Amino acid sequence: MLLTNLISSKKKIFATILMALVFIFSQATIGISTSGAANGTAKIFIIEFVIFALGLYTVFWRLIIKRELSKFSIWVKYYFTLLFTFGIFYIATFIYRYMTHMTLVSSFLLARIIIEVCIVAISLAYFKIRFQEIFTALLLGNLVSVLFQYGIIFFGVGEIRLGNHNLLGNSITSYICLLMFYPVLVYCISRKKDIFYTVTTWSLLALSIPTLLLAGSRIAFSVGMFEIVISLFAVILLKKIELKKFWQLLGTFAGIIVVSLGLVGVLASPVNKQNLVRSVDVPVNVYNKVVPNAMKFDVHGLFAPKDLSKSEKKKENKKKRAEDAEKSIKLSNYMRIIINDKAKKQINANPRNFLVGIGMSSVYTKNWGYQKPHNLVLLYLLPFGLIGTIICYLILLGPILLLFIERVNLTKTALVMMLLTYFPTLVVSLNQPTLGTLITCLSIIILATATTLIDKN
């Protein structure tokens, strides 16, 4: 069994604990005052010291000094080549901007993320980390993150959507790490028999759905439910479970979703109910477009009072919360349009900007300060231009390409699970700067690596 295999080796336990701790403490930082940071203080993540140590050993010592590159797989060679390609590109453009006195504000973090993703990808292959270690580490990490959100709701500020109170920094990072994990989670729920994994996997699934509803994202809950259902259908189509178990699991998932909706609606505080309105806004709008007028549902009046005996003041408060939810949605759309338009103007200002970028990964706005573009293409086009963006996405999408290049691990299960893992990240990144966060990029690469090994666990 999976747990038995895991505890049979001290090295496996160490690798699992290390990855879980890196995930859990991924937002711990050290602040350094510098003019190169947008707010005057540059943040260095503590986990970057761990990644730096890995890089010194695997990349610098083993691959460069010891010249062992030829001994390793295409995976290691692929990321080693892209690491140095991006490094040369970044150093060359950085020197040019420095010599021409261009601003260097907000020009380091995204480059560090790309370099560190390469180091982690190389290290996973170098140390031959297996599926079970990766899955267990991310399972425990996501479970701790979800439990932390319940602590915020019941013992903290009460709202998980705004601010940096979440374990992973904010609700966007928390739910995107969860969404990308759902396909592998569903796969293991349908396959594994260990008591430890049965309890932890089902606990994560059941506890995470209410947090998606309270995250206030208009796509997190919808994409999450899609991921769960489509992953379950993928498991049956891949002939990994019997039809009877498929219907049992589907019914259980449906029951968890219904119970979650009910509990959140009853127990959530007024401000969290407003976030609930945001979370179901998209599916309700889609529903309203395909049904007759008599069957349409007013999501913004979701908590409007129906008992006429209640006080007028209470009615007005509920009406105001519904209006606030609608204003919040409109403000988010407006903010995203302004930020992305500013990024587009700078990218298209001249051919140089379009080809090699402006160095800065953020644009300045009068109302919100420095903000990253809320789009997965603009996010990399702005600092690195077309050339740098191509290199970056060869790195971030490398596991998909390597699956076909190596062909050693190319199975239907690996391909389907990998595509389902990338799907929510890319969808959310169309409207959010999720691929500009270190833990998000590390998680997607680590999970994608795990899916290539999913038939070997």
Side-chain angles (χ1 to χ4, degrees), residues 3 26 28 78 94 137 141 242 254 293-294 309 358 451:
L3 184 58
S26 62
Y78 177 89
F94 180 85
E242 297 177 354
N293 290 334
S309 65
I358 66 169
T451 59

Side-chain angles (χ1 to χ4, degrees), residues 305-332:
K306 294 180 175 58
D307 186 354
L308 298 178
S309 65
K310 292 182 179 180
S311 67
E312 290 298 323
K313 184 177 180 181
K314 196 168 184 178
K315 292 180 187 178
E316 285 298 319
N317 288 338
K318 290 188 175 183
K319 181 180 178 182
K320 184 177 184 301
R321 287 198 296 270
E323 292 173 349
D324 288 344
E326 188 171 4
K327 288 178 181 178
S328 176
I329 292 171
K330 290 180 179 179
L331 178 61
S332 294

Side-chain angles (χ1 to χ4, degrees), residues 37-49:
N39 60 2
T41 303
K43 292 182 178 180
I44 298 177
F45 296 94
I46 292 177
I47 65 171
E48 291 184 89
F49 293 103

Side-chain angles (χ1 to χ4, degrees), residues 245-259:
K245 188 172 183 179
F246 165 79
W247 289 113
Q248 289 175 343
L249 289 173
L250 187 62
T252 306
F253 290 151
I256 289 174
I257 294 169
V258 172
V259 171

Side-chain angles (χ1 to χ4, degrees), residues 4-17:
T4 304
N5 293 335
L6 179 63
I7 62 177
S8 64
S9 170
K10 292 181 180 179
K11 291 182 179 179
K12 294 176 184 177
I13 295 175
F14 175 77
T16 302
I17 294 174

Side-chain angles (χ1 to χ4, degrees), residues 297-366:
F297 182 72
D298 180 16
V299 65
H300 299 294
L302 185 62
F303 301 105
K306 294 180 175 58
D307 186 354
L308 298 178
S309 65
K310 292 182 179 180
S311 67
E312 290 298 323
K313 184 177 180 181
K314 196 168 184 178
K315 292 180 187 178
E316 285 298 319
N317 288 338
K318 290 188 175 183
K319 181 180 178 182
K320 184 177 184 301
R321 287 198 296 270
E323 292 173 349
D324 288 344
E326 188 171 4
K327 288 178 181 178
S328 176
I329 292 171
K330 290 180 179 179
L331 178 61
S332 294
N333 289 335
Y334 174 73
M335 179 179 176
R336 189 174 295 113
I337 291 171
I338 294 298
I339 294 169
N340 288 346
D341 281 348
K342 282 183 172 289
K344 289 176 185 177
K345 288 179 181 178
Q346 294 199 41
I347 292 168
N348 296 318
N350 56 62
R352 182 195 64 203
N353 286 4
F354 180 75
L355 288 175
V356 297
I358 66 169
M360 294 177 61
S361 59
S362 304
V363 293
Y364 180 78
T365 61
K366 183 178 180 181

